[in-house]
């Protein structure tokens, strides 16, 4: 079974869409998709729609919504204003819109209804364990997987509270392996390497956290994948949902640059 693992990374997840578009163009298909955090959103979109054209249109429509267009990019917010946490603005309003759209699209949909087998991860706050969702309703599972600590409230499912799956496994390679995949492709969103003394605001803190998790987990998990495609998103803000088109193009180019290697290993 050939499977795709999609990493977390907040707004940078749009790069996953571009990468998937190019993989599909190469004729590469997946029997299963496993995502965490923003990777779960892209993953369920791909698993439900069955192709990347509709996924691409959905991503662009979100960015072009009037409310998102009026929110400034984090690059446009003055440094002194960022100190007061104002750079959460590019994320907060659009993210709530993401969940509103999710509810409209995924309400009532079950894992068993998806065209491609799908799984997503979240962390059980009570016992600290990683939970893998593979059955039942899709919407609460994806919301739990995307519930970034400090940005969204934990999501309650069957009496248990869950938060972002990327807290324990930002790139779900081990989970994908445990679910039976014998060939794994990982799409990895890169984070800016920020030192502790460089953290000036909330967005910097999230980038710092992502960088720490990458360093800890990459040697443990990535060796189990057949190929890891790194998407160089380190110059994009984890909480800035206003740069979708640039990120999609970046994802496409990242796959095209490694086309020969990818085809050699997967086809």
């Amino acid at each position: 079974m050939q499977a795709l693992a999609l990493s977390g990374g907040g707004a940078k997840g749009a790069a996953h869409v571009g990468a998937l578009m190019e993989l599909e163009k190469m004729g590469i298909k997946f029997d299963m998709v496993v995502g965490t955090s923003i990777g779960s959103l892209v993953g369920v979109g791909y698993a439900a729609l069955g192709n990347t054209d509709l996924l691409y249109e959905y991503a662009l429509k979100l960015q072009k919504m009037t409310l998102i267009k009026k929110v400034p990019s984090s690059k446009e917010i003055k440094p002194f204003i960022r100190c007061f946490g104002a750079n959460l603005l590019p994320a907060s309003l659009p993210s709530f819109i993401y969940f509103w759209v999710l509810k409209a699209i995924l309400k009532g949909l079950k894992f068993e209804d998806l065209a491609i087998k799908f799984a997503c991860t979240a962390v059980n706050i009570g016992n600290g364990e990683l939970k893998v969702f593979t059955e039942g309703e899709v919407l609460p599972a994806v919301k739990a997987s995307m519930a970034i600590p400090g940005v969204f409230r934990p999501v309650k499912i069957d009496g248990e509270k869950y938060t972002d799956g990327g807290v324990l496994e930002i790139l779900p390679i081990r989970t994908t392996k445990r679910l039976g995949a014998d060939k794994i492709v990982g799409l990895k969103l890169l984070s800016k390497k920020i030192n502790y003394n460089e953290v000036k605001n909330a967005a910097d803190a999230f980038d710092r956290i992502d960088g720490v998790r990458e360093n800890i987990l990459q040697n443990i998990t990535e060796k189990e994948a057949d190929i890891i495609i790194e998407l160089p998103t380190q110059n994009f803000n984890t909480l800035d949902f206003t740069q979708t088109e640039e990120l999609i193009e970046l994802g496409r180019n990242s796959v095209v640059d490694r086309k020969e290697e990818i085809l050699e290993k997967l086809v």
Side-chain angles (χ1 to χ4, degrees):
M1 178 167 59
Q2 184 159 280
L4 176 69
L6 299 170
S7 80
K12 296 181 287 188
H16 282 325
V17 177
L20 270 168
M21 291 172 69
E22 290 301 324
L23 288 171
E24 186 174 84
K25 193 180 293 185
M26 292 178 192
I28 295 170
K29 299 184 182 299
F30 298 99
D31 305 300
M32 178 173 64
V33 179
V34 181
T36 194
S37 196
I38 195 67
S40 69
L41 174 58
V42 177
V44 74
Y46 181 63
L49 299 171
N51 70 76
T52 58
D53 290 338
L54 291 174
L55 190 61
Y56 173 71
E57 290 178 16
Y58 164 72
L60 290 187
K61 281 180 181 178
L62 277 175
Q63 180 178 301
K64 292 176 181 177
M65 290 178 71
T66 303
L67 287 173
I68 292 181
K69 287 172 69 177
K70 290 183 178 179
V71 175
S73 163
S74 60
K75 294 178 180 178
E76 298 170 348
I77 299 176
K78 302 300 181 184
F80 74 91
I81 300 180
R82 291 183 187 179
C83 294
F84 295 96
N87 62 333
L88 283 173
L89 259 178
S92 301
L93 185 58
S95 297
F96 282 115
I97 293 173
Y98 265 74
F99 286 140
W100 176 76
V101 174
L102 269 182
K103 186 175 181 180
I105 295 174
L106 300 179
K107 188 176 181 180
L109 189 67
K110 295 183 180 299
F111 281 83
E112 296 80 4
D113 300 328
L114 300 173
I116 300 171
K117 185 176 180 180
F118 171 70
C120 64
T121 65
V123 176
N124 185 313
I125 294 177
N127 59 28
E129 295 179 356
L130 190 71
K131 169 71 174 178
V132 183
F133 293 96
T134 59
E135 58 185 16
E137 290 192 27
V138 170
L139 178 60
V142 172
K143 287 182 67 176
S145 185
M146 294 179 63
I148 302 172
V151 178
F152 300 113
R153 291 180 179 178
V155 176
K156 195 171 185 178
I157 302 175
D158 296 331
E160 300 286 345
K161 289 184 177 181
Y162 296 94
T163 192
D164 194 313
V167 170
L168 290 182
E169 191 182 31
I170 195 165
L171 178 58
I173 298 295
R174 287 177 299 174
T175 296
T176 305
K177 190 77 171 178
R178 287 197 296 267
L179 290 172
D182 48 35
K183 189 173 285 189
I184 302 173
V185 177
L187 292 185
K188 179 181 178 182
L189 302 168
L190 298 184
S191 300
K192 185 182 294 184
K193 304 301 181 184
I194 295 179
N195 294 322
Y196 174 74
N197 58 6
E198 295 177 309
V199 175
K200 304 297 182 185
N201 51 60
D204 286 349
F206 280 105
D207 284 333
R208 170 64 178 165
I209 291 168
D210 279 347
V212 170
R213 285 184 295 184
E214 280 181 13
N215 292 337
I216 293 173
L217 296 174
Q218 66 182 5
N219 293 329
I220 300 174
T221 65
E222 293 182 13
K223 61 184 179 182
E224 297 185 38
D226 292 271
I227 183 169
I228 298 289
I229 302 172
E230 294 187 340
L231 309 179
T233 53
Q234 59 267 38
N235 292 325
F236 292 82
N237 197 303
T238 303
L239 298 176
D240 188 347
F241 285 84
T242 64
Q243 301 180 69
T244 299
E245 291 183 76
E246 295 96 321
L247 283 160
I248 289 174
E249 189 63 23
L250 180 150
R252 297 183 72 161
N253 292 336
S254 299
V255 171
V256 170
D257 289 345
R258 297 181 62 182
K259 182 176 180 178
E260 290 186 12
E261 178 191 356
I262 292 169
L263 291 174
E264 182 180 340
K265 292 187 176 181
L266 302 180
V267 178

